Amino acid sequence: MASDGFRPLDDKSLAEYIKATPSLSSKLGNQIDELQIKEVGDGNLNFVYIVTSPSGSCVIKQALPYVRLIGESWPMTKERAYFEAMALKEHGRLCPDHVPEVYHFDRAMSLIGMRYLEPPHIILRKGLIAGIEYPLLAEHISEYMARTLFFTSLIYRTTTEHKQAVAEFCGNVELCRLTEQVVFSDPYKVSQYNHWTSPYLDRDAEAVREDNTLKLEVAELKAKFCERAQALIHGDLHTSSVMVTSDSTQVIDSEFAFYGPMGFDIGAFVGNLILAFFAQDGHADPKNDRKAYKDWLLRTIEETWNLFHKKFTALWDKHKDGSGEAYLPAIYNNPQLQQLVKQKFMSDLFHDTLGFGAAKMIRRIVGVAHVEDFESIADAGVRADCERRALDFAKMLLKERRKFQGITEVVSAIQKVH
């Protein structure tokens, strides 16, 4: 492993590494002897260190050559760190308010040094479990999605620029394959990695594996995921990939980034908010029935899509005479046609969003990696009830997504299930 210059770092060797790296040591005021280093990687894949000194801080993230959650029996390319650094820089350039700055990248070491999001920043998922309202969440995340997706698409770019960028990210094939497996394949067949709240959901998991209509729909989404290089997507935009305070929203962990369908990012985020909604009953107690919080979640789901729609189409209007080659001004040369094109595009994107969101919900209930929203509900019977409602809704949404004309209808459907 060391032959390619890679070695996994621990606290001691990381301190030495920082000392020898000016772009990192300068962020810590060059006070290397007083460093505090804490390993906080609670994710499935990487080592993550918070490094602080009396006069500065940073986060160091190092990719391992295997899936940390499973161990060395599931090898995984370290090159994912390269794609994460590239995506952080590109998305950070397009939306600096909501992406932490990259200070340093070492390709041989698969190591990224970036801004530390200091307390009170917490992982959004933990905030949702705790029942905390984030008044600016929909505003911020819609801004992030609108800007990163619009400016890396053909609506803004020439086909030459786009193809070069697509080629650059084509190398992230291993993480794309991981998504293909865990989102679009494993939940629909018997797989050694699948698990669920057994025995309560045994029949439900089996029903997913036996549902022909569901499998036809998932095949279509998988094809879009694999074939459609629409924009530079984050690729894993769930509620644990976002850190928040009441007035800050920061998107992290973009190692799954590649050129894919826009709806995969929007769907991942919205789908995880819907999971959070269905988990709330499991977190309710006599002091707090969580009803007001569930209302807030539904409003946030609605606002996230509506604000994204508004901002994305506003960027489109602003740049309609630019160099983007999807809809050449010489052809789409009257307001009526421009309106039709936008309506068709946004309608298709909305249905993609619902489909991908539903697929992401299903995999979190009967696939390999689950969500803390449900897992932290101690009573297995209560947890299974919450999960079953979410699963039934997700299956319906996946199969009937084209019937929904707007997000308000989706929210009404969530309320009906509940």
Side-chain angles (χ1 to χ4, degrees), residues 247-258:
D247 57 6
S248 166
T249 306
Q250 303 290 324
V251 179
I252 58 170
D253 289 351
S254 51
E255 64 212 319
F256 283 81
F258 78 112

Side-chain angles (χ1 to χ4, degrees), residues 250-324:
Q250 303 290 324
V251 179
I252 58 170
D253 289 351
S254 51
E255 64 212 319
F256 283 81
F258 78 112
Y259 273 76
M262 296 180 184
F264 192 76
D265 270 6
I266 313 164
F269 190 77
V270 170
N272 273 262
L273 290 182
I274 300 173
L275 289 176
F277 173 88
F278 281 109
Q280 290 304 314
D281 285 356
H283 299 295
D285 58 45
K287 290 203 287 282
N288 183 355
D289 63 6
R290 295 282 179 120
K291 190 172 175 329
Y293 194 63
K294 289 196 291 192
D295 290 343
W296 176 80
L297 276 168
L298 293 179
R299 282 200 307 278
T300 302
I301 289 164
E302 198 162 341
E303 285 171 9
T304 296
W305 171 261
N306 286 338
L307 286 168
F308 168 78
H309 186 291
K310 184 177 149 193
K311 291 172 184 190
F312 190 92
T313 51
L315 288 170
W316 192 334
D317 290 340
K318 186 178 172 185
H319 296 281
K320 69 178 191 298
D321 298 318
S323 55

Side-chain angles (χ1 to χ4, degrees), residues 193-207:
Y193 298 114
N194 289 345
H195 63 102
W196 50 83
T197 306
S198 186
Y200 303 93
L201 297 183
D202 289 0
R203 183 68 201 97
D204 302 81
E206 193 183 351

Side-chain angles (χ1 to χ4, degrees), residues 324-344:
E325 293 197 47
Y327 303 99
L328 295 168
I331 302 170
Y332 302 89
N333 53 7
N334 64 73
Q336 188 189 359
L337 180 55
Q338 287 166 358
Q339 192 56 33
L340 284 173
V341 157
K342 268 200 300 252
Q343 277 170 350
K344 168 91 171 74

Side-chain angles (χ1 to χ4, degrees), residues 6 67 127 137 139 142 163 185 257 271 289 299 342 392 409:
F6 176 85
V67 175
L137 178 62
E139 175 66 46
S142 61
K163 282 227 176 348
S185 300
D289 63 6
R299 282 200 307 278
K342 268 200 300 252
D392 287 346
E409 292 175 25

Side-chain angles (χ1 to χ4, degrees), residues 183-195:
V183 177
F184 303 108
S185 300
D186 281 358
Y188 305 92
K189 65 186 179 73
V190 175
S191 162
Q192 69 183 99
Y193 298 114
N194 289 345
H195 63 102

Side-chain angles (χ1 to χ4, degrees), residues 45 76 80 83-84 87 169 172 174-176 178-179 182 225 233-236 253-259 264:
L45 294 177
M76 177 60 58
R80 63 183 186 268
F83 297 106
E84 177 168 12
F169 276 89
N172 206 9
E174 235 181 282
L175 266 71
C176 288
L178 182 58
T179 302
V182 300
F225 179 82
I233 65 171
H234 176 283
D236 200 28
D253 289 351
S254 51
E255 64 212 319
F256 283 81
F258 78 112
Y259 273 76
F264 192 76

